[in-house]
Amino acid sequence: MADRRNILFIQTDAQHHQWLGFQGAPGLKTPHLDRLARERAVVFDQAYTCSGVCAPSRTSFITGRYPVAHGVVNNQVRRRSPAEPLLGRLLQQAGYATGYFGKTHFAGDDDAMSADGWEQSFTIADYKKYLQQHRIDATYPEKKGIDRLPGRYWNFGASRIPNEHYLENILGDLGVQFIERHADRPFACFVNCVAPHSPFTPPRPYAELYN
């Protein structure tokens, strides 16, 4: 097992491939991703999605099959076939410690992540419970009738959620903890951010970085 490479997969949502400092985007500050890209990361600069819609694309990623094959052809399909091959199970069978943190949206059951091959997971449903447990006001702007607002894809200001409790920070911390805990064996750690998907409500101080 010592010759197997560890896998850290970082995925953002609805982010243009040029919206990164190391891709030459003027004015954008992404120092940590820039460092990963410079040092040991694999940058997929010739990658193409098999679907421009979220659930079909994400389901293809974890099954290795086109939407026409796995049947999740739009965001309204809530359940994929239980017979589909799943990346988490395959990695687990290959001897990897598996962790999945963040957005799923691949037509599965977030309560059945372990059955899908993920030894440790933290989904959006878990994050909602986290906010409730910490008594954090989760009614940040994008949760206030956003579907009825004509400018829903634009900036609604800073999130009401403090930076240390913001989803992407929680996911990063969980990913680091998972890697440190499994340093003695091959691991596959998937960190799936929701940001920068609209609506744009970053926490302070990041909300003030751009106008």
Side-chain angles (χ1 to χ4, degrees), residues 102-117:
K103 184 174 181 177
T104 52
H105 206 185
F106 37 58
D109 185 353
D110 283 1
D111 293 327
M113 293 294 284
S114 59
D116 287 350

Side-chain angles (χ1 to χ4, degrees), residues 37-67:
R38 285 195 311 266
E39 294 182 356
R40 304 184 64 185
V42 175
V43 178
F44 298 100
D45 56 4
Q46 291 289 332
Y48 301 87
T49 181
C50 61
S51 172
V53 184
C54 186
S57 176
R58 289 174 177 270
T59 305
S60 290
F61 180 79
I62 66 160
T63 63
R65 284 154 50 86
Y66 286 109

Side-chain angles (χ1 to χ4, degrees), residues 8 11 23 36 64 72 75 84-85 93-94 105 109 117 127 131 162 164 167 191 207:
L8 170 61
Q11 184 175 22
Q23 294 282 44
L36 281 173
V72 182
N75 284 343
E84 290 294 331
Q93 292 167 8
H105 206 185
D109 185 353
Y127 181 58
L131 293 175
E164 62 271 21
L167 175 62
V191 179

Side-chain angles (χ1 to χ4, degrees), residues 137-149 151-152 154-161 166 198-204 207:
D137 179 9
T139 58
Y140 46 105
E142 61 265 42
K143 297 299 181 184
K144 289 195 167 185
I146 198 71
D147 292 328
R148 297 187 296 274
L149 297 176
R152 62 167 298 188
W154 302 106
N155 193 349
F156 281 86
S159 174
R160 296 182 181 182
I161 300 175
Y166 201 69
S198 60
F200 310 122
T201 55
R204 289 185 172 89

Side-chain angles (χ1 to χ4, degrees), residues 73-125:
V73 294
N74 56 49
N75 284 343
Q76 284 66 52
V77 179
R78 300 298 181 186
R79 287 288 180 269
R80 62 177 182 270
S81 168
E84 290 294 331
L86 297 176
L87 180 61
R89 293 177 187 168
L90 295 173
L91 288 168
Q92 198 172 50
Q93 292 167 8
Y96 279 86
T98 54
Y100 192 104
F101 308 102
K103 184 174 181 177
T104 52
H105 206 185
F106 37 58
D109 185 353
D110 283 1
D111 293 327
M113 293 294 284
S114 59
D116 287 350
W118 306 106
E119 296 175 25
Q120 183 181 346
S121 64
F122 185 89
T123 66
I124 303 304

